[in-house]
Amino acid sequence: MERMRPQEEHTTATSPPPRWAVRAAQLITLLALPTGLWRLAMVCGFPSGYTAAGFVPFDTPGAKLWMLMLSVVSELLALLSLGLVRPWGETLPRWIPVIGGRPVRPLAAVVPAAAGALALTALWAAMPLWWTYPHPDMTPVGRLLVGVIYQPLVLWGPLLGAVTVSYYRRTHGSRTAHTNTPCPANAATASEPMATVVAPGHSP
């Protein structure tokens, strides 16, 4: 009798991300960098465009801690968009304890990314109107500088939404193809009766 072969683990292969999606994800990581550096300058004690009186609320330990955390978290969230175009966005890295090496469920990545894209789009939609509002706590040069470095954030939401759609299409298509593909174990079972045919006059 032929020994039973252990069932092999099947991995879901996906098509590589399009070049535009890779470029968009890389661009997202740069969008939050100017504002993060601007906040870090204030953490270090530089007014960064504020008047002496306008900088007073930011020159406290609590405000500095908040600006530091906001800058780090913003950049980390921007870096997470790379997971939509990198292998670790489909299979968790093995160095992660307990869950390392497991495949990522597409919706577990798509739902938070889509929600983030909508939230970011709504949050920064009015940023192009920055110069239409008065900013008495800032110098004229500071008002111009802050308006310029914050404008790229307007692209964060739309770019993240586009990359998320690309990720969903790739992972959803591969899962559908995998579901419709016959299991190799069934194919082996179907061909097994042919292996039992013996020559006449011989016992199996």
Side-chain angles (χ1 to χ4, degrees), residues 170-188:
R170 290 190 301 110
T171 56
H172 178 72
S174 64
R175 288 174 64 88
T176 302
H178 179 69
T179 303
N180 295 333
T181 302
C183 180
N186 295 336

Side-chain angles (χ1 to χ4, degrees), residues 43-203:
V43 171
C44 294
F46 294 97
S48 299
Y50 282 93
T51 62
F55 185 65
V56 171
F58 300 98
D59 198 19
T60 63
K64 290 183 177 182
L65 179 61
W66 165 250
M67 289 187 293
L68 178 61
M69 292 179 57
L70 181 60
S71 299
V72 173
V73 171
S74 296
E75 190 59 33
L76 289 177
L77 290 176
L79 289 172
L80 279 178
S81 61
L82 292 175
L84 300 174
V85 295
R86 291 287 186 266
W88 55 269
E90 300 173 21
T91 302
L92 294 175
R94 295 189 177 278
W95 54 264
I96 299 179
V98 183
I99 60 175
R102 295 184 180 182
V104 177
R105 294 181 178 272
L107 289 182
V110 170
V111 172
L118 291 175
L120 289 168
T121 301
L123 178 64
W124 302 114
M127 197 62 212
L129 303 177
W130 166 265
W131 292 283
T132 64
Y133 300 103
H135 300 281
D137 55 345
M138 305 190 77
T139 65
V141 175
R143 179 170 171 264
L144 174 63
L145 172 65
V146 173
V148 170
I149 65 176
Y150 266 88
Q151 293 307 313
L153 295 178
V154 177
L155 301 175
W156 191 350
L159 286 177
L160 179 58
V163 177
T164 302
V165 171
S166 174
Y167 175 88
Y168 174 77
R169 288 179 175 176
R170 290 190 301 110
T171 56
H172 178 72
S174 64
R175 288 174 64 88
T176 302
H178 179 69
T179 303
N180 295 333
T181 302
C183 180
N186 295 336
T189 304
S191 61
E192 186 177 356
M194 298 182 62
T196 61
V197 177
V198 297
H202 292 76
S203 299

